Amino acid sequence: MTIIDRTTVAEHDFNTLTLVDCRNVMDDLTGSVDKVAEFPVAGTVHIPQYPWMFDREGLNRGRHPIPVKSVVKTLHEALSKSSMQMPVLFDGEQQFFHTRLYYLFRLYGLDALLWNDSLEQLNMLTASVGGTIPELPEADFTRTGDYTDVEVGLLVLMEDVKRAIQDEDVLLIDVRSRPRYLGIEEPIDLKMGHIPGAVNIPYGNFFRGGRINFGACNHMRHFLDSYKEIIVYCGSGMSATPPFLVLGEMGLPVRLYGGSFSEWITDDENSIESGDAPLNERILSLNE
């Protein structure tokens, strides 16, 4: 992964980059437009969530299905202007829409860069950006592609998770808030709790000063190294992408459960646990 921030920006020619504004409000088109308008960044193209970050008919069920290859590739081609430009994805503080899109590009073998610094810092640089702002394609094209198109080392499906919960060498990490993990509250989904055996490392633990903290889990290295595979999930596969990137940068064998908890609960045969998993006591002690 290539991260750009104020310390590495001099290594890149901004005239060869397409600045991609991924700021959104979850499932709220009007709110997303208003959010971008509050602090516009010049010379950028804004990407709405649907259909580019999730699509109604995708690779999985749940609230935000992963789009098939034709959707993601069509967007990437528009942003890269026939391979002449490199997309740079950015978002606001402690957000995940840019990491979701970055993950989708990687999932289908497409290149992009990730901005991990403040919007103010980025706005200072946009005056040097040349070229025209790309236009987004219409979203009514025919969808093509399936699970065989993805980098399988990055994604797991529900059936994979069903097998994983029986394997003590696989660690499931739930990155939702602690009350949602424990089954105390659930503001979105129809059932409460977590996938059996999953531990909880809340989403906010992976950030510092509003930006992704790629050293967030270094103190847990020995513990995480003891597993042959790590699967991260959230409510719908969106907010699990920053934790996925952090663990991946550590060189750990991590994959994302695309459907996440909102898909898991669609199968009544899937068990759900509430309260703390026994292993989570160790997680809590490591984070004290």
Side-chain angles (χ1 to χ4, degrees):
M1 171 172 34
T2 301
I3 305 297
I4 303 181
D5 59 22
R6 68 188 69 190
T7 68
T8 61
V9 69
E11 301 172 9
H12 301 272
D13 177 2
F14 261 61
N15 289 311
T16 67
L17 305 177
T18 300
L19 300 182
V20 182
D21 190 342
C22 298
R23 288 176 292 171
N24 281 282
V25 177
M26 183 70 86
D27 298 326
D28 185 345
L29 178 59
T30 300
S32 298
V33 172
D34 292 342
K35 185 174 186 176
V36 172
E38 288 174 5
F39 188 89
V41 180
T44 66
V45 56
H46 178 252
I47 309 299
Q49 301 161 68
Y50 175 82
W52 311 114
M53 299 180 191
F54 60 84
D55 204 2
R56 292 190 182 95
E57 298 296 328
L59 297 184
N60 49 265
R61 290 176 288 170
R63 284 184 278 109
H64 299 121
I66 288 177
V68 295
K69 184 176 182 177
S70 62
V71 176
V72 180
K73 185 177 180 182
T74 296
L75 176 62
H76 190 272
E77 288 176 347
L79 297 177
S80 59
K81 302 176 186 176
S82 300
S83 301
M84 297 301 292
Q85 300 282 108
M86 176 70 77
V88 180
L89 316 181
F90 70 90
D91 208 331
E93 290 192 355
Q94 202 157 319
Q95 290 299 310
F96 53 79
F97 294 103
H98 62 327
T99 56
R100 168 68 169 200
L101 189 54
Y102 181 86
Y103 171 80
L104 294 178
F105 286 158
R106 280 189 59 191
L107 191 64
Y108 293 110
L110 304 170
D111 292 329
L113 306 177
L114 195 72
W115 177 257
N116 194 42
D117 211 320
S118 70
L119 294 180
E120 292 77 10
Q121 187 70 25
L122 181 62
N123 209 26
M124 292 172 59
L125 300 166
T126 57
S128 64
V129 178
T132 58
I133 300 173
E135 293 186 7
L136 295 184
E138 297 294 331
D140 59 353
F141 52 84
T142 301
R143 271 60 165 168
T144 58
D146 55 32
Y147 183 63
T148 62
D149 295 315
V150 308
E151 297 284 346
V152 294
L154 304 181
L155 176 70
V156 296
L157 302 180
M158 185 194 292
E159 294 304 314
D160 301 311
V161 178
K162 288 182 178 182
R163 290 189 291 270
I165 62 177
Q166 307 297 326
D167 189 341
E168 60 182 15
D169 291 323
V170 178
L171 178 68
L172 269 68
I173 301 178
D174 184 325
V175 305
R176 296 174 302 158
S177 69
R178 186 146 179 77
R180 293 182 72 188
Y181 167 81
L182 293 173
I184 296 173
E185 66 179 30
E186 180 47 65
I188 305 174
D189 291 312
L190 298 177
K191 298 179 182 180
M192 297 194 301
H194 58 264
I195 297 174
V199 300
N200 182 222
I201 307 179
Y203 174 82
N205 289 25
F206 294 88
F207 291 80
R208 181 172 59 200
R211 315 318 301 170
I212 302 172
N213 176 16
F214 286 95
C217 293
N218 287 344
H219 64 292
M220 303 172 60
R221 181 81 208 210
H222 181 72
F223 170 75
L224 297 171
D225 272 338
S226 65
Y227 292 90
K228 69 179 184 182
E229 183 178 6
I230 299 171
I231 297 173
V232 294
Y233 75 90
C234 54
S236 65
M238 300 282 285
S239 64
T241 51
F244 168 84
L245 294 181
V246 169
L247 297 173
E249 278 295 283
M250 294 175 66
L252 295 167
V254 60
R255 294 201 283 173
L256 177 77
Y257 175 24
S260 286
F261 189 72
S262 63
E263 179 185 59
W264 183 258
I265 62 176
T266 62
D267 187 340
D268 290 335
E269 294 185 1
N270 288 343
S271 299
I272 300 170
E273 290 182 348
S274 57
D276 256 336
L279 186 60
N280 210 52
E281 294 180 6
R282 186 173 180 189
I283 292 287
L284 293 172
S285 67
L286 289 170
N287 282 286
E288 288 178 351

